[in-house]
Amino acid sequence: RIQEREGSLPQNIAAAMAFLAQAQNGESLLDPVCGSGTILAELASYNPNLKIYGVDIDKEAIKLAKENTKKFKNIEIKEGDSTNSSFENKSIDKIVGNLPFGKQFGSKEENPQLYYDLLKDFIRMTKDNSKIILLTSDTESLTSAINKFKELKLENEYLIKVRGESAKIFVLSKVC
């Protein structure tokens, strides 16, 4: 990383999430809340034969992400709202994202609706049998949102610490 912002994901956790994606050549992956681009860089390092997209609502985050990933030719980053994205239906193979915890960005009060809205759009844009890998410390809000969608199946959870705070990596699959 060339530049970092408050709340940036540690690289070792981003690398673990990239590994969990098990991305195959030619697949399209999305980090819908890309922040400074840590997950994007790890995905590109894991497999250079992917098409990787990063989206964030924060203009400053987009600038950092572009700077931090400029050496990778297979990453496209754009400003946008991932609760209502411009990706076509069933166009994304896998999603890997570090959701806002509601601490540095957003709020815990907004997380239940945010997570629901994100998952709703993820289901629309992902192909059948897609994998969705998400990290948050607000596990209650994410679990509640997941349970509202019959199209999502929880495959695994990994309890971790992010900068001293308990969090979980959720591995979901989209069932058809």
Side-chain angles (χ1 to χ4, degrees), residues 94-107:
K94 295 179 178 152
I95 293 175
V96 183
N98 173 22
L99 298 177
F101 286 17
K103 309 256 183 204
Q104 283 99 352
F105 305 100
S107 73

Side-chain angles (χ1 to χ4, degrees), residues 46-61:
Y46 179 74
N47 185 336
N49 299 311
L50 304 171
K51 180 61 182 163
I52 302 169
Y53 301 96
V55 176
D56 205 289
I57 203 163
D58 182 333
K59 289 180 185 337
E60 198 55 42

Side-chain angles (χ1 to χ4, degrees), residues 1 3 5 7-9 14 29-43 52-69 75-80 82 95-100 105 118 122:
R1 255 189 316 226
Q3 297 182 39
R5 69 185 213 161
S8 288
L9 187 63
L29 279 77
L30 168 66
D31 181 347
V33 285
C34 70
S36 62
T38 309
I39 290 174
L40 300 174
E42 291 300 329
L43 288 168
I52 302 169
Y53 301 96
V55 176
D56 205 289
I57 203 163
D58 182 333
K59 289 180 185 337
E60 198 55 42
I62 294 298
K63 287 180 194 172
L64 287 173
K66 286 181 177 181
E67 180 67 21
N68 287 333
T69 61
I75 297 175
E76 181 181 322
I77 301 170
K78 63 183 178 177
E79 183 181 346
S82 289
I95 293 175
V96 183
N98 173 22
L99 298 177
F105 305 100
L118 286 168
F122 294 171

Side-chain angles (χ1 to χ4, degrees), residues 150-161:
K150 66 180 184 334
E151 302 91 341
L152 296 176
K153 178 182 176 193
L154 179 62
E155 297 287 338
N156 216 329
E157 302 173 272
Y158 299 94
L159 184 61
I160 63 168
K161 292 270 189 190

Side-chain angles (χ1 to χ4, degrees), residues 100-149:
F101 286 17
K103 309 256 183 204
Q104 283 99 352
F105 305 100
S107 73
K108 276 199 89 140
E109 294 75 35
E110 295 170 350
N111 281 351
Q113 187 64 50
L114 173 64
Y115 292 178
Y116 175 85
D117 291 344
L118 286 168
L119 291 176
K120 184 177 177 184
D121 205 43
F122 294 171
I123 290 167
R124 179 195 61 77
M125 75 174 81
T126 53
K127 297 175 182 175
D128 293 339
N129 302 309
S130 293
K131 209 179 252 195
I132 301 170
I133 298 155
L134 302 171
L135 170 66
T136 186
S137 68
D138 190 354
T139 59
E140 183 178 320
S141 291
L142 185 55
T143 300
S144 175
I146 291 166
N147 289 334
K148 293 177 181 172
F149 294 100

